[in-house]
C-alpha cells in the first residue's frame, strides 16, 4: 500500500476517533466545545446546517492532515504510532494557541472578539488561550484526541 493510501486510511480512522472523542467529551460535560458547530458556523448561521457542514469540513480536514502527516513521515523515512502521537500533540498545541487566537477570529465572522460591538450578535464565544473559554478541560480533551489521531495515522502510514 502506498504512503498516500495508508495516510488517507489513517486520516479517516483518526478523524473518526478524534470526532467521537470530542463529541463524547462535549456530551459528558468535560468541555463546552462543539467543533462541528464551530466549523460549520463559518459558512452558515443556520444552527442545524452548521453541524452537518462542520462534520463534513472536519472530515475533509482530517483526511488532508492524514496525507500531510504521511508526507512528513515519508520525508523522514520513518513512521510509527509514537511518532504520530508526538505530531498529534504538536498539532493540538498549535490549534489551541495560534489557530484559535490569531487566525480563527479573523476568518470566522461569527466568533465574538474584544472588538465586537454591543449591537453585533456573535453566534460563538471566542475560544481564548488553550480554548479555556470553553471549559477548563477543553485543552486536555483536545490534546488527548489529537494524540490519538496522530497515533492512528502514524500506525497506519507505511513508509
Amino acid at each position: 500500500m502506498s504512503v498516500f493510501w495508508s495516510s488517507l486510511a489513517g486520516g479517516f480512522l483518526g478523524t473518526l476517533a478524534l470526532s467521537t472523542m470530542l463529541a463524547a467529551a462535549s456530551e459528558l460535560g468535560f468541555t463546552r466545545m462543539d467543533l462541528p458547530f464551530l466549523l460549520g458556523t463559518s459558512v452558515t448561521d443556520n444552527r442545524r446546517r452548521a453541524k452537518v457542514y462542520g462534520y463534513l469540513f472536519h472530515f475533509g480536514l482530517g483526511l488532508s492532515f492524514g496525507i500531510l502527516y504521511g508526507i512528513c513521515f515519508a520525508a523522514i523515512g520513518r513512521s510509527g504510532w509514537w511518532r504520530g502521537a508526538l505530531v498529534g500533540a504538536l498539532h493540538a498545541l498549535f490549534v489551541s494557541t495560534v489557530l484559535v487566537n490569531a487566525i480563527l477570529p479573523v476568518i470566522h465572522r461569527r466568533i465574538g472578539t474584544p472588538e465586537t460591538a454591543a449591537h453585533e450578535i456573535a453566534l460563538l464565544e471566542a475560544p481564548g488561550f488553550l480554548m479555556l473559554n470553553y471549559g477548563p478541560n477543553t485543552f486536555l480533551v483536545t490534546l488527548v484526541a489529537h494524540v490519538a489521531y496522530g497515533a492512528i495515522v502514524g500506525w497506519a502510514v507505511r513508509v
Side-chain angles (χ1 to χ4, degrees):
M1 183 184 279
S2 72
V3 171
F4 174 78
W5 291 111
S6 62
S7 299
L8 199 60
F12 177 79
L13 294 173
T15 303
L16 191 62
L18 184 140
S19 297
T20 302
M21 292 172 77
L22 292 179
S26 179
E27 292 297 323
L28 293 171
F30 291 116
T31 179
R32 292 187 307 110
M33 181 178 65
D34 185 348
L35 189 58
F37 185 69
L38 178 73
L39 294 172
T41 54
S42 66
V43 294
T44 183
D45 58 358
N46 182 305
R47 293 170 103 62
R48 288 186 187 163
R49 288 187 185 148
K51 280 202 170 204
V52 174
Y53 296 153
Y55 273 114
L56 292 173
F57 188 44
H58 190 247
F59 262 88
L61 286 172
L63 295 174
S64 300
F65 274 102
I67 293 168
L68 183 63
Y69 279 34
I71 290 169
C72 292
F73 293 143
I76 64 171
R78 296 176 186 203
S79 64
W81 70 267
W82 67 271
R83 283 185 179 89
L86 179 62
V87 175
L90 294 172
H91 184 174
L93 190 60
F94 175 77
V95 165
S96 300
T97 55
V98 176
L99 182 69
V100 298
N101 286 316
I103 299 170
L104 194 61
V106 173
I107 61 174
H108 195 311
R109 62 189 177 144
R110 292 180 179 93
I111 288 183
T113 66
E115 294 83 26
T116 303
H119 68 281
E120 296 176 298
I121 300 172
L123 283 177
L124 298 168
E125 176 183 13
F129 182 70
L130 296 178
M131 298 183 290
L132 294 175
N133 289 351
Y134 292 158
N137 298 319
T138 302
F139 175 69
L140 181 61
V141 166
T142 302
L143 179 63
V144 169
H146 280 82
V147 166
Y149 170 85
I152 291 169
V153 174
W155 165 80
V157 172
R158 302 291 176 225
V159 178

